[in-house]
Amino acid sequence: MARSNKPAIVVGAGPAGLCAAIELKKAGASVILMDENSKPGGQLFKQIHKFFGSQEHKAGVRGFDIGRELLAESMELGMDVRLDTEVVGIQKGLQVWAVEKREKSYTIDAGALILATGATENALSFPGWTLPGVMTAGCAQTLINVHRVLPGKRVLMVGSGNVGVIVAYQLLQAGADVAAVIEAAPRLGGYGVHTAKVRRSGVPFHVSSTILKAEGSQSVEVAVIAKVDERFNPIPGTETSLEVDTICIAVGLTPSIELASLAGCEMMYVPELGGTMPRHDEFLRSSVPGVYVVGDIAGVEEASTAMEEGRLAGIHAAFSLGCMDEATMKERTGETIRRLWALRQGMFGEKRHLAKKRVVEKEGGNLR
């Protein structure tokens, strides 16, 4: 295969994008890594907890340390990293239109385009949700772990998935009092290891419960919660008022598909993976030739999975650009798919594994 003289462009310098760019650069490809933020690393630098699993998946290493390792590797490779750069258009032929530092715009013809645009936190509307003190869990996590600012003294966490219970524990570590964690479903959604730490701290969990409203004159002062029935309707007479100054919303994530839509990628709806997402095959190739989707845009999972997807797409894109021979590509992608399969095992990973398998099989691939 002839070597392309066009660069690979990776949009998003989070865990998936960094891993994709590193694989491309190591293969000898010309790489441009773009991110709209002023610092690379994405969600990793908000994650102070230790990863778990196997050693090859960075078990026992904190998220921000993994981020530092990836950044150091990308710098050693001489990566062309363009921060404060927004991709605002993708034309036919993989022409990428970018605006850098809100000062200049330009277009680049890409040989391959890897979209690692992540996901957006879901909102939850209720009376009083616009009061100061109501925020997403990710916002609270950014405040305490990046800016070292405590968002409030007494917090209600709405949602018991991994994000909710991890941020609840980090709020406790930062000195806040977590009044309760509530969950609309009849059982908790997060990993037991995370939930147990919050329980041991004395925080009550309320399942089959929802928030009815927030009250306060200038900011949040009270949160009113209630039990829900099997159809998630509030049960009259079960209302409870909690004195809190902060309400954190952790009710899931939705893939950020805007750029994929601009590129013309076909979409599909997979509720187990966050909702509407680009169709893709086992190598993360979208329906548009040359466009790959990796990380949460390709289905909301864990940071470890996002990194492996980035590596997988980076390896295959390097092959498509003529920077890697077919035998090496097959060997490397086989190893990466094996690690991905291992990550999706277990009680919490099985649903995602089966959902991802359905996605790639529709595209003629096979996850395993």
Side-chain angles (χ1 to χ4, degrees):
M1 182 182 295
R3 191 184 184 98
S4 173
N5 59 1
K6 295 180 180 179
I9 295 179
V10 180
V11 183
L18 280 169
C19 287
I22 287 170
E23 292 296 338
L24 280 158
K25 193 67 176 176
K26 285 164 64 175
S30 172
V31 185
I32 300 172
L33 177 60
M34 298 179 174
D35 196 287
E36 64 183 354
N37 296 300
S38 58
K39 293 182 179 179
Q43 300 300 312
L44 286 173
F45 285 95
K46 299 196 296 186
Q47 297 176 351
I48 63 173
H49 60 280
K50 293 180 179 179
F51 280 38
F52 57 92
S54 65
Q55 189 171 5
E56 66 182 357
H57 295 134
K58 302 292 185 180
V61 183
R62 298 186 187 277
F64 63 85
D65 284 328
I66 297 173
R68 286 173 179 168
E69 291 176 12
L70 292 174
L71 285 179
E73 187 172 4
S74 64
M75 292 300 103
E76 288 174 6
L77 291 168
M79 194 85 66
D80 181 355
V81 181
R82 304 184 187 186
L83 302 175
D84 293 309
T85 300
E86 295 181 74
V87 173
V88 296
I90 301 171
Q91 309 297 326
K92 288 184 178 180
L94 301 190
Q95 186 180 71
V96 176
W97 179 18
V99 177
E100 191 170 332
K101 301 184 186 300
R102 298 187 179 182
E103 295 175 353
K104 62 178 181 178
S105 65
Y106 50 82
T107 59
I108 303 175
D109 292 328
L113 176 61
I114 298 181
L115 300 178
T117 50
T120 303
E121 288 184 276
N122 296 334
L124 185 65
S125 61
F126 48 86
W129 76 305
T130 59
L131 280 171
V134 180
M135 65 188 71
T136 63
C139 174
Q141 190 179 42
T142 300
L143 287 171
I144 56 177
N145 294 343
V146 178
H147 301 295
R148 302 294 190 264
V149 174
L150 195 64
K153 295 180 179 179
R154 186 167 167 80
V155 183
L156 169 67
M157 181 63 67
V158 181
S160 72
N162 282 330
V163 172
V165 291
I166 287 172
V167 175
Y169 187 68
Q170 291 173 357
L171 283 163
L172 290 167
Q173 289 179 304
D177 176 20
V178 178
V181 177
I182 65 172
E183 170 60 54
R187 64 179 183 179
L188 303 177
Y191 291 166
V193 64
H194 298 312
T195 303
K197 291 190 292 186
V198 180
R199 280 193 187 279
R200 287 196 298 268
S201 300
V203 176
F205 284 79
H206 301 292
V207 296
S208 298
S209 299
T210 190
I211 182 167
L212 294 182
K213 60 181 177 178
E215 298 176 339
S217 56
Q218 300 295 322
S219 61
V220 173
E221 297 173 10
V222 172
V224 180
I225 64 174
K227 288 289 186 180
V228 297
D229 60 23
E230 64 276 5
R231 295 187 176 182
F232 301 104
N233 295 313
I235 301 173
T238 64
E239 298 86 353
T240 301
S241 294
L242 300 175
E243 292 186 4
V244 296
D245 58 11
T246 306
I247 299 171
C248 288
I249 309 299
V251 291
L253 302 165
T254 298
S256 298
I257 62 172
E258 294 84 355
L259 286 182
S261 297
L262 282 176
C265 297
E266 294 178 8
M267 301 292 165
M268 63 189 304
Y269 183 74
V270 186
E272 302 96 324
L273 297 173
T276 302
M277 52 183 271
R279 302 178 69 94
H280 59 273
D281 67 6
E282 62 180 331
F283 301 115
L284 289 309
R285 292 179 294 188
S286 74
S287 61
V288 177
V291 177
Y292 297 76
V293 290
V294 299
D296 284 347
I297 184 180
V300 176
E301 298 188 77
E302 306 292 336
S304 299
T305 309
M307 289 188 284
E308 293 292 4
E309 286 193 339
R311 294 186 181 103
L312 180 58
I315 293 165
H316 196 277
F319 166 71
S320 73
L321 292 170
C323 299
M324 184 180 294
D325 62 76
E326 186 173 4
T328 302
M329 181 274 290
K330 288 183 176 180
E331 179 182 359
R332 297 285 312 285
T333 55
E335 294 170 352
T336 309
I337 289 172
R338 176 191 60 79
R339 293 195 300 268
L340 270 171
W341 180 82
L343 279 169
R344 292 176 175 134
Q345 298 305 296
M347 180 175 62
F348 289 98
E350 184 179 4
K351 284 186 178 180
R352 296 196 304 269
H353 171 73
L354 294 175
K356 201 73 171 184
K357 189 175 181 181
R358 290 201 312 272
V359 172
V360 300
E361 284 181 345
K362 285 184 179 180
E363 299 302 313
N366 189 319
L367 185 62
R368 297 182 64 179

